[in-house]
């Protein structure tokens, strides 16, 4: 049995999770995108890594020193010099471990982080920011009976909307009204009522173009530490997902194979998510990027 928790992530700052290097084009550092949809997403591996790192710092002091010593030893290959193994480590036994010496063991983690995909994205309009989503995304989030836009050039807005045409960024589209369902967001996401009130539904084929046209393109520069000024020739540009983007992922606890470990894992994961989201996810977190608000949705708990 797997205990599943939907994981909602709301960007309090712009978010940059890089695609792994420089690419030719108008932006030096691009963000990671889903190969099928061309939409930005947060890889499960990124979430696992940042939460595992944060978990070290939410442990009681005695356990933290023990866990950090074990983590350092896995990098140097000096497992035998320490008094405990991965199965006894408070972090490794939850997230998994692989010990590379003859006496070592390996085991998968008792918790799994799935990719977090976009659920709603903020787009500027003449009426202020509106959050855009699609019928397919709403169905994936568990909403039944999602209305479809009558054509690709039409936006579905809440029934309270009176305007007949509305711009989404540079694109001016017709407006139709309907009852728009939306999943119940956790109370930790303070913007939930605003997103629900200002929700728009567009055709699935139009959504990637709207998102990619409204990403942030920022310019930054490396610093010459000898002078404290900008380093010559070190100017670069990078993409970022806009502040206000809402992602939906999933956290699974393996209660079938590791019932005792999974039971103790959830409180640690929650504390680690608090810390990781407060410090920032992705790159350039010390430059004002990456803070998130998060919460578990209704799952199998």
């Amino acid at each position: 049995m797997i205990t599943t928790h939907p994981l909602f992530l709301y960007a309090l700052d712009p978010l940059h999770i890089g695609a792994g290097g420089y690419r030719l084009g108008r932006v030096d550092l691009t963000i990671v995108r889903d190969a099928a949809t061309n939409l930005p997403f947060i890889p499960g591996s990124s979430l696992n890594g940042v939460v595992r790192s944060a978990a070290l710092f939410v442990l009681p002091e005695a356990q933290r020193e023990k866990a950090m010593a074990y983590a350092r030893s896995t990098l140097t290959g000096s497992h035998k010099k320490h008094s405990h193994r991965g199965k006894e480590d408070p972090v490794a036994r939850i997230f998994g471990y692989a010990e590379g010496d003859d006496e070592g063991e390996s085991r998968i983690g008792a918790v799994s982080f799935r990719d977090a995909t976009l659920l709603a994205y903020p787009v500027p309009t003449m009426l202020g920011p509106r959050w855009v989503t699609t019928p397919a995304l709403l169905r994936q989030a568990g909403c039944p009976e999602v209305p479809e836009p009558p054509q690709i050039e039409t936006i579905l807005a809440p029934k309270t909307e009176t305007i007949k045409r509305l711009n989404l960024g540079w694109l001016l589209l017709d407006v139709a009204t309907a009852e728009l369902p939306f999943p119940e967001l956790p109370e930790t996401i303070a913007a939930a009522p605003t997103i629900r009130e200002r929700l728009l539904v567009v055709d699935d084929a139009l959504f990637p173009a709207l998102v990619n046209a409204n990403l942030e393109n920022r310019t930054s520069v490396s610093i010459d530490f000898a002078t404290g000024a900008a380093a010559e020739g070190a100017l670069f540009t990078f993409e970022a997902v806009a502040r206000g983007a809402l992602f939906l992922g999933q956290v699974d606890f393996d209660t079938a194979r590791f019932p005792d470990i999974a039971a103790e894992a959830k409180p640690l994961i929650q504390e680690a998510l608090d810390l990781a989201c407060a410090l920032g996810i992705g790159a350039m977190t010390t430059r004002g990027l990456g803070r998130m608000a998060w919460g578990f949705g209704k799952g199998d708990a």
Side-chain angles (χ1 to χ4, degrees):
M1 178 182 176
I2 301 294
T3 302
T4 296
H5 296 274
L7 174 63
F8 290 96
L9 293 162
Y10 175 80
L12 299 174
D13 295 325
L15 175 70
H16 176 88
I17 296 183
Y22 289 82
R23 293 188 176 183
L24 296 176
R26 63 190 178 93
V27 178
D28 296 317
L29 298 176
T30 55
I31 56 176
V32 64
R33 287 176 169 82
D34 186 281
T37 63
N38 200 35
L39 288 171
F41 72 103
I42 305 175
S45 57
S46 296
L47 291 171
N48 184 287
V50 72
V51 174
R52 180 170 186 158
S53 178
L56 290 168
F57 296 93
V58 300
L59 293 170
E61 185 174 355
Q63 285 188 315
R64 179 167 67 247
E65 292 300 323
K66 187 177 180 181
M68 294 183 75
Y70 177 79
R72 285 191 293 267
S73 73
T74 60
L75 297 176
T76 61
S78 57
H79 304 82
K80 294 183 179 180
K81 296 181 181 179
H82 294 281
S83 59
H84 74 282
R85 291 292 199 172
K87 62 184 178 182
E88 302 164 340
D89 186 85
V91 173
R93 68 195 303 263
I94 291 173
F95 286 88
Y97 53 88
E99 296 169 331
D101 57 277
D102 294 337
E103 298 177 8
E105 300 176 353
S106 63
R107 185 177 61 70
I108 64 171
V111 60
S112 302
F113 289 84
R114 310 301 176 187
D115 293 345
T117 56
L118 270 179
L119 176 57
Y121 193 78
V123 175
T125 76
M126 65 182 78
L127 301 177
R130 305 297 289 263
W131 276 261
V132 178
T133 186
T134 75
L137 294 176
L138 291 175
R139 284 192 289 268
Q140 290 173 17
C143 294
E145 301 180 5
V146 181
E148 296 274 352
Q151 53 190 3
I152 193 171
E153 300 89 355
T154 302
I155 306 166
L156 284 183
K159 285 197 169 181
T160 54
E161 191 62 73
T162 58
I163 193 168
K164 298 302 181 183
R165 305 191 81 189
L166 184 65
N167 72 303
L168 297 178
W170 55 270
L171 195 61
L172 185 64
L173 299 173
D174 295 329
V175 175
T177 60
E179 290 289 343
L180 302 183
F182 200 68
E184 183 178 347
L185 299 183
E187 294 180 357
T188 49
I189 297 180
T194 303
I195 296 174
R196 183 182 292 274
E197 292 169 7
R198 303 183 68 80
L199 189 69
L200 300 173
V201 174
V202 299
D203 191 275
D204 294 294
L206 184 60
F207 186 64
L210 287 172
V211 171
N212 284 295
N214 289 282
L215 295 173
E216 289 194 28
N217 292 323
R218 293 195 171 197
T219 301
S220 191
V221 67
S222 297
I223 299 297
D224 184 331
F225 292 105
T227 64
E232 186 176 354
L235 185 73
F236 64 93
T237 57
F238 64 92
E239 287 183 318
V241 175
R243 178 185 290 107
L246 179 66
F247 294 85
L248 175 58
Q250 183 174 302
V251 182
D252 296 334
F253 296 89
D254 191 343
T255 51
R257 288 178 290 184
F258 313 109
D260 55 333
I261 299 175
E264 71 182 58
K266 187 176 178 182
L268 180 65
I269 296 298
Q270 290 176 307
E271 289 187 63
L273 272 166
D274 282 340
L275 179 60
C277 289
L279 294 177
I281 293 173
M284 291 176 272
T285 56
T286 59
R287 300 187 183 189
L289 273 65
R291 285 185 311 139
M292 311 285 281
W294 77 276
F296 284 142
K298 293 181 179 179
D300 299 332

